[in-house]
Amino acid sequence: MRYAGSVALVTGGASGIGAATVRRLLREGARVAALDLAAVKESTDDVLPLHCDVRDETAVEDAVGAAVAWGGRLDLVANVAGVASYQHTTEVALAEWDRIIGINLTGTFLVSRAALPFLVATRGAIVNVASLAGVRGWRYSAAYSAAKGGVVALTRSLAVEMAPDGVRVSCVCPGSVDTPLRAGLRAVPNPHPRLDGIGGALIDPPVADPAEVAAAIAYLGSAEARFATGAVLRLDGGAGV
């Protein structure tokens, strides 16, 4: 019950890592505002489902305000919402670039910015979900890698800026996770044979369960991780070694 009496906000809370994080935080005693464009499946008095496009500045500010009004405080923000695609860079349309950057990076910025005044009041924490693709080169994912690399840099910058106010900011960098996002990725046509098998996990099975990532998020956002800020935690099964 590390989160007893606490209020958390989780983006992307309808599925995958976000839904697993909602469940984990509930189990540890938090009340959770879950933001998503899809319907949030968890239905209890301790969950506030909020329909929100994290790219929309006004919608984000309204959602964060609604979460604080509902919970009376804000102790943790978990920025999980994200999208990805595999494409040859020469075939990436600007609209697709904007979509991936907007949801993964701009959304993380907008939610964090809106939440910071409330987190200062509670000396709370932000945990962002980046990716292995944000800390090492990854084939056919220029937009996604740029977005997640930006999330890592944003995490570190905010960690420095907010340290005097007692707000900790860290991120997790998963590798392959069994989520709808992963299931929806299409293989790149005509991949170069030299790029096959690069960056494979060392752990068997090589795909993580969303609950494993949620456990790391719950730790980094808790008081037990008091000395962790600016942390970039890889959860990649050794693929980035």
Side-chain angles (χ1 to χ4, degrees):
M1 301 297 288
R2 291 181 292 190
Y3 286 91
S6 297
V7 175
L9 184 151
V10 179
T11 72
S15 65
I17 296 170
T21 301
V22 171
R23 291 191 296 270
R24 178 69 185 231
L25 295 174
L26 285 172
R27 193 164 74 245
E28 295 206 25
R31 302 177 72 199
V32 184
L35 279 65
D36 210 305
L37 284 174
V40 174
K41 298 174 183 176
E42 294 293 327
S43 179
T44 76
D45 291 341
D46 290 325
V47 174
L48 175 67
L50 293 168
H51 184 270
C52 180
D53 184 340
V54 295
R55 296 170 293 180
D56 185 325
E57 181 178 17
T58 300
V60 165
E61 291 175 353
D62 289 346
V64 171
V68 174
W70 169 73
R73 58 186 291 140
L74 187 60
D75 301 274
L76 170 66
V77 169
N79 283 303
V80 186
V83 293
S85 66
Y86 288 150
Q87 289 179 277
H88 293 277
T89 299
T90 54
E91 299 173 1
V92 176
L94 181 58
E96 178 67 355
W97 172 275
D98 288 342
R99 182 180 78 95
I100 291 175
I101 297 292
I103 294 173
N104 291 286
L105 179 55
T106 305
T108 297
F109 163 72
L110 289 174
V111 173
S112 298
R113 186 184 67 178
L116 279 173
F118 305 105
L119 294 172
V120 168
T122 60
R123 299 179 73 84
I126 296 172
V127 183
N128 298 321
V129 175
S131 170
L132 175 60
V135 292
R136 56 156 295 172
W138 201 254
R139 58 197 181 278
Y140 306 121
S141 62
Y144 184 69
S145 294
K148 291 304 190 179
V151 170
V152 172
L154 175 63
T155 296
R156 288 172 167 154
S157 180
L158 285 179
V160 172
E161 181 178 346
M162 301 311 301
D165 293 306
V167 176
R168 296 182 300 104
V169 188
S170 297
C171 74
V172 296
C173 292
S176 186
V177 185
D178 185 14
T179 65
L181 185 151
R182 177 178 179 270
L185 290 173
R186 294 180 296 176
V188 174
N190 304 313
H192 196 289
R194 287 183 60 189
L195 301 181
D196 286 345
I198 291 178
L202 304 177
I203 291 176
D204 188 35
V207 179
D209 188 281
E212 295 176 291
V213 183
I217 293 171
Y219 165 69
L220 285 172
S222 75
E224 287 187 317
R226 180 193 69 85
F227 217 59
T229 193
V232 180
L233 176 61
R234 291 188 181 188
L235 301 168
D236 59 16
V241 173

